[in-house]
Amino acid sequence: MSDKKMSFEESLKRLDKIVQEMESGEMELDAMISAFEEGQLLLKACTAKLNEVEKKIEKVVKGADGELTTAPFESAEQ
Amino acid sequence: MDETVQIFSISALTRKIKGVLTTEIGQVWVEGEISNLKQYSSGHTYFVLKDQTAQLNAVLFANARSALVHTDFLKDGQRVRAAGMISVFETRGQYQLVVRTIESAGIGALMELYEALKKKLRDEGLFENIHKKPLPLLPQRIGVVTSPTGAVIHDMLNVLERRFPNMQVLLLPVKVQGEGAAESIARAIEWLNLNCAPGSPRAVDVMIVGRGGGSLEDLWAFNEEIVARAVFASRIPVISAVGHEVDFTLTDFVADLRAPTPSAAAELVVLPKSEFEGRIAQRSADLRRLLLQQHKLLAQRLAQLTSAAVLKRPEQVVEKYAQKVDYLEMRLQHAVVQRTAAARLRAEQLFSRMGLVRERRVAELRARLAGGRQRMGMGAATLLAHSKGRVETLRRQLMLLGPLKVLERGYSLTRGADGALIRSVDDVAPGAAVLTQVVDGVIHSKVDKNCERSAGDE
């Protein structure tokens, strides 16, 4: 169901399937309500996935010890 | 002046030189560097081919130029190989190479390398579609392997920013041309696979490997085997984005997806955020609409059921049935009555017919009986009368029969009025009527006097 491990893509696919099933008109009311609830959870998860990441542009740099690490990257630095 | 010295006109000498050059040298291949290149509006190209110590004028006429596949190397400083005819431009007294075909000396060698490596990798199956990995629909973090300087990374970040403002990007700054570029690119791809594999906290789920446009030599790093193999080995999907060249680099062939330019790669790597939002909003609307629709449908059905006559006025149904029962009863009674009446009628008919028959029969019998009796009575009387007559006739005949013969002989019989035979004169008195029978009839006569006794008679 709306597992947190589900990827964005899987969530969207599941949503599509739920909507399709509801559209078929062969669903009983109870099933429809639980499908609706699941859909709501999936929608929430998808929206969260779209927005959960903060914009972060990094670049890999070589540290003093010679190891590669990451640092913020400004595209203005040309 | 020495009379033996032959004096040439300039034209004649030039023609002689031309003849010697074209016959003694003619077709040649030369290699050198282009300088002082001039492009005329006529389409002809004039340049000088040179090396450290000498130079040769050359002309590439428009028709020969149009036959060339590549012309972008026709620039000052480019090393080229040209084939043509050594000739003389008489007007200016210059010898020159009339170029038939020309190619980049560098490219020729590189192209051979490229083709050989391409064949090798293709034969190994590195370009096969079955090795292509699917790209994530929504990348969490995008790795970019390219130069940290220049417009390319800037343009890519702009495109990404516009499409998906909060997308995470990890840049791997690499050298994209010149010595060590290929190694630098390959190492970056390997580093990403090692440190940002799927599942790791810094996971990168797709990478773009590329650079801006340039000459074949500029892009050469992306044709190196080490880069092609690093891309092939990557567990993270790779989008190649090399220049705006029409030609494919080997990296393009091996990559999971090929973008024609770095900006295009930034467009391909993720759909605009608005599109995802729109899709989610659409699904959200779908869910609500469908649930409401179902709710409405069910509510309507419920309303219909509630207002259904059965539930609203159950007595109506009973009335309906009651009426039906009445009707049936009526029909039943009617049927019985009708049936009984019919039976009765039939019985009566039978009876009456029977009575009629009997009466008729009796009457008939009676009539027959009467007829019989009558006939019987009638018969007896007739028979009697008939018999009487016959008897009388017979008697008369019998009576007549005896004397009949005698009468024929002329005798006659005489009777009195009473019929008694007159045998003696005594039997009659005068005036008495007598009947005399002769053979053929009776004679009626009257006695007129006393009868005399005959003498002798007695």
Side-chain angles (χ1 to χ4, degrees):
Chain A
M1 303 292 265
S2 55
D3 202 324
K4 272 201 171 168
K5 282 169 197 159
M6 218 179 211
S7 77
F8 181 81
E9 193 164 356
E10 287 166 336
S11 300
L12 271 188
K13 274 186 187 158
R14 176 76 191 135
L15 253 179
D16 285 343
K17 195 160 181 282
I18 287 172
V19 169
Q20 259 176 33
E21 283 172 1
M22 284 174 79
E23 268 172 346
S24 76
E26 284 160 12
M27 238 188 194
E28 293 193 357
L29 189 62
D30 286 350
M32 205 140 187
I33 288 169
S34 56
F36 179 79
E37 282 167 354
E38 190 193 341
Q40 291 293 329
L41 288 175
L42 286 167
L43 285 169
K44 219 171 129 188
C46 282
T47 312
K49 273 255 163 57
L50 283 182
N51 298 309
E52 73 181 359
V53 212
E54 261 186 64
K55 178 183 178 177
K56 204 152 63 170
I57 313 287
E58 294 172 305
K59 70 170 178 176
V60 177
V61 293
K62 198 179 263 183
D65 52 358
E67 285 296 296
L68 290 175
T69 179
T70 57
F73 173 78
E74 296 301 325
S75 68
E77 145 198 331
Q78 285 185 21
Chain B
M1 279 228 162
D2 190 343
E3 291 294 320
T4 61
V5 175
Q6 190 184 357
I7 300 172
F8 288 95
S9 70
I10 303 302
S11 304
L13 181 63
T14 304
R15 270 200 301 277
K16 192 171 174 73
I17 292 168
K18 188 179 182 177
V20 170
L21 283 179
T22 50
T23 50
E24 294 301 312
I25 301 175
Q27 297 284 351
V28 286
W29 271 98
V30 292
E31 186 170 324
E33 190 180 295
I34 294 174
S35 70
N36 205 22
L37 184 134
K38 287 194 182 72
Q39 179 65 56
Y40 279 74
S41 59
S42 58
H44 309 319
T45 308
Y46 299 89
F47 52 94
V48 173
L49 288 172
K50 63 174 189 181
D51 58 18
Q52 277 89 352
T53 55
Q55 61 178 52
L56 168 70
N57 287 319
V59 57
L60 176 64
F61 288 117
N63 60 340
R65 185 183 169 121
S66 66
L68 296 174
V69 178
H70 298 283
T71 55
D72 51 356
F73 61 89
L74 291 172
K75 287 184 276 195
D76 285 349
Q78 288 288 316
R79 195 165 182 78
V80 294
R81 277 182 209 145
M85 170 85 85
I86 292 295
S87 188
V88 172
F89 181 33
E90 296 168 35
T91 317
R92 296 194 57 185
Q94 285 179 350
Y95 72 94
Q96 61 180 9
L97 179 70
V98 177
V99 178
R100 179 166 43 80
T101 186
I102 186 167
E103 61 184 35
S104 169
I107 285 176
L110 285 177
M111 284 309 284
E112 274 171 36
L113 252 171
Y114 170 87
E115 291 298 341
L117 189 54
K118 183 175 166 184
K119 185 179 185 309
K120 180 180 160 190
L121 297 181
R122 170 171 287 154
D123 290 350
E124 280 185 42
L126 265 62
F127 303 163
E128 300 283 327
N129 277 331
I130 52 159
H131 298 307
K132 307 289 184 206
K133 292 174 282 294
L135 303 178
L137 181 68
L138 178 67
Q140 292 300 290
R141 203 149 169 253
I142 301 168
V144 178
V145 179
T146 193
S147 166
T149 58
V152 170
I153 182 65
H154 184 72
D155 291 347
M156 286 176 76
L157 291 176
N158 274 345
V159 171
L160 283 174
E161 167 73 20
R162 197 175 66 230
R163 289 168 77 83
F164 214 107
N166 59 334
M167 185 53 69
Q168 288 200 352
V169 175
L170 179 61
L171 170 68
L172 280 101
V174 293
K175 199 176 171 189
V176 291
Q177 74 184 83
E179 194 68 31
E183 288 74 14
S184 162
I185 295 163
R187 264 204 314 276
I189 296 168
E190 284 156 12
W191 190 89
L192 274 174
N193 274 283
L194 213 62
N195 296 281
C196 305
S200 76
R202 291 196 155 279
V204 160
D205 38 21
V206 61
M207 71 169 89
I208 297 169
V209 176
R211 57 151 290 153
S215 67
L216 183 64
E217 290 96 327
D218 293 342
L219 306 178
W220 191 252
F222 294 89
N223 283 323
E224 296 267 19
E225 187 169 359
I226 185 173
V227 174
R229 290 201 184 276
V231 169
F232 183 74
S234 177
R235 279 170 294 127
I236 302 168
V238 175
I239 300 175
S240 71
V242 182
H244 351 77
E245 289 292 308
V246 187
D247 296 325
F248 281 48
T249 64
L250 297 182
T251 298
D252 288 328
F253 288 118
V254 184
D256 299 300
L257 181 68
R258 185 230 178 204
T261 66
S263 297
E267 306 247 352
L268 288 170
V269 75
V270 64
L271 287 170
K273 192 178 179 181
S274 59
E275 202 156 306
F276 287 120
E277 286 166 345
R279 206 161 140 188
I280 288 170
Q282 180 61 52
R283 283 296 171 250
S284 179
D286 285 347
L287 283 178
R288 277 173 197 290
R289 175 177 55 79
L290 289 166
L291 193 68
L292 283 175
Q293 192 177 300
Q294 184 76 353
H295 178 267
K296 196 175 160 190
L297 215 72
L298 290 173
Q300 268 174 4
R301 270 176 64 189
L302 196 61
Q304 268 172 10
L305 287 173
T306 312
S307 66
V310 193
L311 294 174
K312 215 173 181 183
R313 281 195 57 209
E315 69 275 12
Q316 209 171 41
V317 178
V318 176
E319 280 164 11
K320 197 171 89 183
Y321 282 109
Q323 199 176 1
K324 186 154 189 172
V325 168
D326 287 347
Y327 174 65
L328 283 174
E329 194 185 340
M330 187 193 81
R331 274 180 62 188
L332 193 68
Q333 279 177 353
H334 187 65
V336 169
V337 168
Q338 222 170 26
R339 189 65 199 264
T340 312
R344 188 176 292 154
L345 187 66
R346 188 159 166 77
E348 278 168 2
Q349 277 173 348
L350 279 174
F351 283 143
S352 80
R353 268 173 66 190
M354 271 167 69
L356 209 68
V357 166
R358 193 182 55 192
E359 275 170 24
R360 199 186 290 156
R361 187 122 180 107
V362 168
E364 202 176 273
L365 287 172
R366 235 178 232 153
R368 274 177 68 179
L369 203 57
R373 269 192 204 133
Q374 198 179 7
R375 280 210 301 276
M376 271 168 70
M378 224 158 63
T382 312
L383 198 65
L384 200 60
H386 188 70
S387 300
K388 270 184 186 161
R390 259 184 82 92
V391 170
E392 185 57 23
T393 309
L394 284 173
R395 192 184 59 88
R396 280 193 191 161
Q397 280 174 349
L398 278 173
M399 274 176 48
L400 289 175
L401 202 60
L404 203 57
K405 294 273 184 199
V406 184
L407 292 178
E408 276 177 3
R409 279 184 277 148
Y411 293 93
S412 65
L413 286 170
T414 304
R415 302 172 195 261
D418 57 354
L421 274 175
I422 301 170
R423 296 174 184 264
S424 150
V425 282
D426 302 329
D427 292 341
V428 279
V434 292
L435 300 168
T436 306
Q437 186 166 9
V438 292
V439 76
D440 55 350
V442 178
I443 302 158
H444 295 258
S445 26
K446 223 175 236 176
V447 180
D448 55 6
K449 56 184 173 184
N450 287 4
C451 306
E452 305 159 343
R453 266 182 222 248
S454 43
D457 249 60
E458 191 63 65

